[in-house]
Amino acid sequence: MLDVPFLPFCAFLGTLGLLCVAMVGTWCQHWRGGFSLDGSSRTFNWHPVLMVTGLVVLYGAAALVYRIPNTWSGPKLPWKVLHSSLALGAFVLTVLGLVAVFCFHNSQGTPNMYSLHSWMGLGTVLLFSCQWAAGFGAFLLPWAPTWLRALYKPIHVFFGSTILMLSVASCVSGINEKLFFSLKNGTMEYKLLPAEAVFANTLGLLILIFGVLVVAALARPSWKRPDSDSPDSRMPTPLLRAHLHGSGAQHSDLKMESVCKEGKVQSEMDSGPERGGWEGGGMGWCLV
Ligand code: HEM
């Protein structure tokens, strides 16, 4: 595999994401009449812009938070908060995007939820809302037990990538559907490939490339946080065990935030495997 450094890759991905947002905005502004809140097709135009911005670009950024090397050591809580806030932001934009299309349909007397695009799109949003709620419950609420976090984490990771791919599929099908609906007459027929179709087709491809690159980055082993969930990584080293023994804490109820406050234990945690420290993938204490 190509040895691409993570940060330049992220800069490229960020540029690509911004390009997708700029292009969907340009499409709606230049060819589809711009934006309004009056229930007309200009209200509909908020739908693609908010969906691409929220459920693809912002969601993709949220998914990649834990690939930033700075998140691999030190307290994990701020990164968890960043991850869940970006996902929440993505969710809010998504809901606004759905409100726009439902308002448009209702004010035009168009039936709701008849197309494959709408079924897949709504399914994706429902999955995303479950994913956010379950992630919040398991990873941010302090009383969630460690075993539950460890059990749920691979499921959360799997659905993270799945939801992104479903979002991309929803966007591509939505773009296609919009072009079929809009480009019907004379020289503007879709099959004659007018400039708008070239532009929107290109947008669809760029969204697809963005999604594939995010999923590839998530899957790349060397960009993953050192394994925090192997059974070994949850076994305390002698120094940590001594600390636990002294403080009366149990292995099973150890919480990172409390233990990491102690400078001595922190320094042991900071010397993870890559830093020539303790064996077994070690960060599990801190990071589950
Ligand atoms: C309608 C979801 C992206 C175009 C809908 C509806 C949903 C939905 C649930 C049904 C609304 C109703 O029945 O009243 C999504 C999701 C997206 C997404 C989750 C992204 C993740 C896009 C994009 C476009 C688009 C990028 C591009 C223009 C349309 C069109 C309709 C529609 C034309 C009206 C026709 C229909 O109901 O299928 N979308 N959408 N969508 N969407 Fe999207």
Side-chain angles (χ1 to χ4, degrees), residues 24 27-28 44-45 47-52 54-56 94 97-98 101-106 110-125 163 166-179 181 203 207:
V24 68
W27 176 28
C28 295
F44 167 84
N45 286 343
H47 174 67
V49 171
L50 290 169
M51 297 324 243
V52 171
L55 211 46
V56 177
T94 299
L98 287 186
V101 69
F102 278 101
C103 281
F104 165 66
H105 274 187
N106 293 342
T110 311
N112 291 314
M113 300 303 301
Y114 62 86
S115 63
L116 172 62
H117 166 72
S118 62
W119 291 9
M120 181 164 57
L122 198 63
T124 307
V125 177
I163 291 168
L166 287 173
S167 306
V168 168
S170 302
C171 285
V172 169
S173 63
I175 291 170
N176 209 21
E177 201 179 75
K178 182 69 180 169
L179 289 172
F181 286 159
L203 167 64
I207 291 172

Side-chain angles (χ1 to χ4, degrees), residues 206-237:
L206 291 179
I207 291 172
L208 190 60
I209 292 170
F210 179 89
V212 167
L213 288 179
V214 172
V215 170
L218 290 173
R220 194 184 164 116
S222 61
W223 288 351
K224 283 187 190 167
R225 167 206 303 283
D227 186 13
S228 59
D229 289 330
S230 70
D232 279 358
S233 72
R234 266 177 240 109
M235 291 307 294
T237 60

Side-chain angles (χ1 to χ4, degrees), residues 164-278:
L164 183 64
M165 283 290 90
L166 287 173
S167 306
V168 168
S170 302
C171 285
V172 169
S173 63
I175 291 170
N176 209 21
E177 201 179 75
K178 182 69 180 169
L179 289 172
F180 274 115
F181 286 159
S182 313
L183 301 179
K184 282 194 287 214
N185 304 317
T187 55
M188 293 306 283
E189 260 191 283
Y190 191 15
K191 65 180 176 206
L192 299 176
L193 201 61
E196 177 180 354
V198 174
F199 190 88
N201 285 354
T202 308
L203 167 64
L205 284 181
L206 291 179
I207 291 172
L208 190 60
I209 292 170
F210 179 89
V212 167
L213 288 179
V214 172
V215 170
L218 290 173
R220 194 184 164 116
S222 61
W223 288 351
K224 283 187 190 167
R225 167 206 303 283
D227 186 13
S228 59
D229 289 330
S230 70
D232 279 358
S233 72
R234 266 177 240 109
M235 291 307 294
T237 60
L239 174 58
L240 198 50
R241 220 180 288 130
H243 171 85
L244 292 176
H245 186 71
S247 67
Q250 295 295 308
H251 179 187
S252 58
D253 60 24
L254 180 69
K255 288 277 186 295
M256 172 203 182
E257 284 77 23
S258 61
V259 174
C260 284
K261 286 190 186 116
E262 306 285 332
K264 204 174 172 195
V265 176
Q266 173 77 64
S267 73
E268 184 183 25
M269 289 179 158
D270 282 345
S271 65
E274 301 69 16
R275 288 155 283 261
W278 33 294

